[in-house]
Amino acid sequence: MNSIPGYTLGTTAVPRSPVTLADFERMKASTLLGDEDLKYLRLSPTVVRHPYVKDGDF
């Protein structure tokens, strides 16, 4: 795999989030973000894809 300059995910250069999973679940609940919303968010790349836009252009 090629190295991407500035990409440090998974290294000690990236601090751990102060938000716990429980905090995140409460945030999702407070915004009424549910399983169906997540389902459609996961599908969105195929919905918004335009035939004239090449992968990586956006």
Side-chain angles (χ1 to χ4, degrees):
M1 182 171 151
N2 295 334
S3 177
I4 301 171
Y7 185 76
T8 57
L9 181 65
T11 71
T12 57
V14 179
R16 189 168 191 88
S17 173
V19 178
T20 66
L21 288 177
D23 292 337
F24 184 62
E25 291 301 323
R26 284 192 295 274
M27 285 189 271
K28 285 174 27 182
S30 71
T31 61
L32 303 178
L33 182 67
D35 291 338
E36 188 174 9
D37 300 306
L38 295 174
K39 172 186 168 185
Y40 288 106
L41 281 171
R42 288 184 184 104
L43 292 172
S44 66
T46 58
V47 173
V48 297
R49 182 160 291 163
H50 190 280
Y52 299 108
V53 177
K54 293 179 278 180
D55 286 341
D57 281 354
F58 57 95

